[in-house]
Amino acid sequence: MKIFLDTANLKQIKEAVSWGIVDGVTTNPTLCSREEESFEDLIKEICRIVSGPISVECVSSRADEIIKEARSLAKLADNVVVKIPIGIEGLKAIKALAQEGIKANTTLVFSPMQALLAAKAGARYVSPFVGRLDDVSHDGMDLVDQIVTIFNNYGFDTEVIVASIRHPLHIVETALIGADIATLPFAALEKMVKHPLTDIGIERFLKDWEKVKVK
Ligand code: E4P
């Protein structure tokens, strides 16, 4: 399972990269709005720090505008993936961009049908938002399961990015289902490492080592 970071914060990205487990980054307008750097400088710097795919969101509405915006975002760095919300205009743009070799991550996916259409249009990635579904009493991980089954049934090579992850159980379920990628807020990544029994175990070993040293 690939791990993407769901943040535009350079400090968090640099820290996670130093752990050696970051395969890519996803950003969105909300995440970018929290940072001080200008948008283009921020994206270029993220693309420099992480060599894997960096999702950057288009905010235009009409297909022709989305295509224009996507082309200009794709020029920022070789590893930019344009993020396009699912919709009719989005599908038209994804299709046209795929023919030009520009990779798209279809975002704000909340149903298996949306994911199927995105894959048919040629999206490189689809992003089901599990946490936001859980928030409205729908099981977000059920959606991921359905999308992975559908893509396997028909041999789509579109990768599934499990997005809007809220807690470690989402990550475990992502891996058990076999989705390609989990995109994680930094806090969720930190929680993956920790276990109280590990801390207790280290403390006990260090204490006992003191006894070994004096022999
Ligand atoms: C994914 O690409 C999105 O940036 C993100 O996962 C949305 O998460 P949220 O629902 O916590 O805003």
Side-chain angles (χ1 to χ4, degrees):
M1 185 180 80
K2 282 176 266 190
I3 293 179
F4 286 6
L5 261 190
D6 194 30
T7 182
N9 184 275
L10 294 174
K11 204 171 152 221
Q12 292 179 346
I13 293 169
K14 283 178 192 159
E15 175 59 23
V17 165
S18 77
W19 301 1
I21 43 74
V22 175
D23 300 299
V25 173
T26 52
T27 68
N28 64 38
T30 306
L31 294 171
C32 292
S33 75
R34 293 181 190 147
E35 306 307 320
E36 290 192 342
E37 295 84 352
S38 76
F39 174 69
E40 288 201 1
D41 287 349
L42 184 62
I43 299 303
K44 282 183 188 165
E45 185 59 6
I46 296 172
C47 291
R48 196 189 60 76
I49 299 168
V50 179
S51 56
I54 311 299
S55 290
V56 188
E57 192 147 341
C58 293
V59 292
S60 305
S61 308
R62 281 200 336 252
D64 58 335
E65 293 166 344
I66 300 171
I67 293 167
K68 209 169 144 205
E69 190 184 354
R71 284 180 187 143
S72 118
L73 291 176
K75 281 191 191 127
L76 292 177
D78 289 345
N79 50 341
V80 164
V81 169
V82 294
K83 221 173 178 189
I84 300 177
I86 184 67
I88 293 169
E89 295 302 300
L91 286 173
K92 291 181 199 167
I94 290 164
K95 179 80 185 173
L97 292 164
Q99 283 163 347
E100 292 179 22
I102 296 177
K103 293 176 186 160
N105 170 3
T106 312
T107 191
L108 291 166
V109 167
F110 291 99
S111 84
M113 297 160 293
Q114 292 177 322
L116 176 60
L117 290 174
K120 284 184 72 74
R124 183 76 198 85
Y125 305 95
V126 292
S127 291
F129 276 38
V130 296
R132 294 195 196 184
L133 274 174
D134 289 357
D135 288 345
V136 293
S137 308
H138 283 263
D139 189 337
M141 294 313 301
D142 275 354
L143 170 62
V144 174
D145 206 7
Q146 289 173 333
I147 295 172
V148 169
T149 302
I150 290 168
F151 285 7
N152 286 339
N153 285 349
Y154 296 103
F156 286 114
D157 58 11
T158 304
E159 291 185 75
V160 179
I161 304 180
V162 179
S164 186
I165 280 178
R166 300 269 194 267
H167 50 72
L169 206 49
H170 278 148
I171 308 167
V172 174
E173 289 178 55
T174 296
L176 289 173
I177 289 169
D180 305 279
I181 301 151
T183 188
L184 311 179
F186 186 74
L189 187 66
E190 281 183 312
K191 285 182 189 158
M192 281 180 82
V193 190
K194 292 185 191 291
H195 196 289
L197 289 178
T198 307
D199 297 339
I200 292 168
I202 290 172
E203 203 185 318
R204 195 175 297 161
F205 282 149
L206 289 178
K207 211 169 150 199
D208 290 341
W209 182 244
E210 291 302 314
K211 296 177 207 159
V212 176
K213 273 199 321 191
V214 293
K215 279 184 189 168

